[in-house]
Amino acid sequence: MSSTPATPSPGGSPWRRLRRIGGPRATKANVLVAALAVLLGVGIATQVQLTQERGLRELSQTDLVRVLDDISLRSSRLDAQLRELEATRDRLKSGTGSTAEALAQSQKRVDTLGILAGTVAARGPGITMTISDPKSQVTGPLLLDLIQELRDAGAESIDVGSVRVVASSYVGDSGGRLSIDGTPLQRPLTVKAIGDSDTLASAMTIPGGIVETIRQKGASATVTPVTTVEITSLHQPLTLTHATPVE
């Protein structure tokens, strides 16, 4: 006795169609939430990677506890930012948010971008750092490492020797003479950074960190957490001649 094989229905089996119908859809809201979640994960992963590079095995129990506290604090701060952005998105999406609220959020976004681009002055908690280097042993690569360490620790605005440091900034070193974006720096160097003061100070003074490296070069560095840091230096943005926004 033979049986006739069933003819496959269009679109696959019912179970396959059901999975396809019930699958997640790439709405704008889902994409925004996913992007925020990725940002949170990248922030935590960056801090963890920085700590691992310093060598956890070489740290004392006190230092390990401090590192864990720094990571937890940064994670909590990013969680709070994520919840705030999600709440704002939901209000604007549902129409319950007023025009004034939308304008306020837009202005807040403009202010944030201005601080990151270095085109507006900034004020907030952070640290000041003084580097005494009479023999000019602090080189360009070491200064670049210092700036990168501050960024990794969450610095939102950085000033080195009254020069605003932004994403496009470059460090020059010619015959022991340091410069940023072509502006000469005078020694001793003064560094100001806005961010969580405890996290920034820990990142600078952690064993094997930038302060210890500076001291090994024969220079000295003093890090001072402060309640309010004012950065008034401004970065002159480049005039774009080729790139334009995508409509």
Side-chain angles (χ1 to χ4, degrees), residues 24-37:
R25 308 229 175 173
T27 64
K28 291 183 179 180
N30 290 339
V31 171
L32 178 57
V33 172
L36 293 173

Side-chain angles (χ1 to χ4, degrees), residues 54 129 142 145-146 149 203-204 208-214:
R54 295 299 182 203
M129 184 175 182
L142 182 54
D145 286 344
L146 186 155
E149 292 281 3
M204 295 295 97
I210 199 71
V211 168
E212 184 174 323
T213 302
I214 290 173

Side-chain angles (χ1 to χ4, degrees):
M1 179 180 293
S2 61
S3 60
T4 303
T7 303
S9 60
S13 68
W15 290 108
R16 185 176 303 171
R17 293 200 302 275
L18 183 60
R19 286 196 301 269
R20 188 162 55 246
I21 293 173
R25 308 229 175 173
T27 64
K28 291 183 179 180
N30 290 339
V31 171
L32 178 57
V33 172
L36 293 173
V38 170
L39 179 62
L40 174 62
V42 169
I44 297 174
T46 300
Q47 184 66 30
V48 172
Q49 181 181 4
L50 176 63
T51 302
Q52 290 175 340
E53 289 176 354
R54 295 299 182 203
L56 290 176
R57 295 181 180 179
E58 300 178 359
L59 301 184
S60 65
Q61 183 175 0
T62 301
D63 292 327
L64 289 173
V65 171
R66 184 176 60 180
V67 169
L68 180 59
D69 288 341
D70 291 343
I71 295 174
S72 299
L73 181 62
R74 183 169 176 80
S75 176
S76 299
R77 186 168 63 251
L78 291 173
D79 280 335
Q81 292 175 356
L82 176 60
R83 289 192 296 270
E84 180 184 353
L85 289 172
E86 287 178 334
T88 301
R89 176 209 61 193
D90 293 340
R91 287 196 303 273
L92 295 177
K93 182 179 178 182
S94 63
T96 58
S98 63
T99 302
E101 181 181 5
L103 291 175
Q105 290 295 328
S106 298
Q107 184 60 50
K108 182 178 179 181
R109 181 64 174 167
V110 170
D111 293 341
T112 299
L113 292 176
I115 291 175
L116 294 176
T119 56
V120 298
R123 176 191 297 112
I127 64 170
T128 60
M129 184 175 182
T130 302
I131 302 175
S132 179
D133 183 26
K135 297 182 179 180
S136 300
Q137 296 301 304
V138 175
T139 61
L142 182 54
L143 180 58
L144 185 60
D145 286 344
L146 186 155
I147 293 172
Q148 191 58 48
E149 292 281 3
L150 289 172
R151 287 172 173 165
D152 290 342
E156 298 171 355
S157 186
I158 302 173
D159 175 288
V160 179
S162 298
V163 179
R164 190 70 169 266
V165 178
V166 297
S168 62
S169 293
Y170 61 92
V171 177
D173 186 347
S174 176
R177 293 185 293 272
L178 299 175
S179 64
I180 293 182
D181 294 338
T183 301
L185 302 178
Q186 301 297 323
R187 303 173 196 264
L189 295 173
T190 300
V191 181
K192 296 187 289 185
I194 295 176
D196 184 89
S197 55
D198 292 335
T199 301
L200 293 175
S202 296
M204 295 295 97
T205 58
I206 192 172
I210 199 71
V211 168
E212 184 174 323
T213 302
I214 290 173
R215 290 172 179 168
Q216 290 174 352
K217 295 289 186 178
S220 63
T222 302
V223 178
T224 305
V226 291
T227 304
T228 303
V229 176
E230 288 194 2
I231 296 180
T232 57
S233 58
L234 301 180
H235 174 76
Q236 184 64 37
L238 297 176
T239 301
L240 300 180
T241 57
H242 302 288
T244 57
V246 177
E247 299 295 337

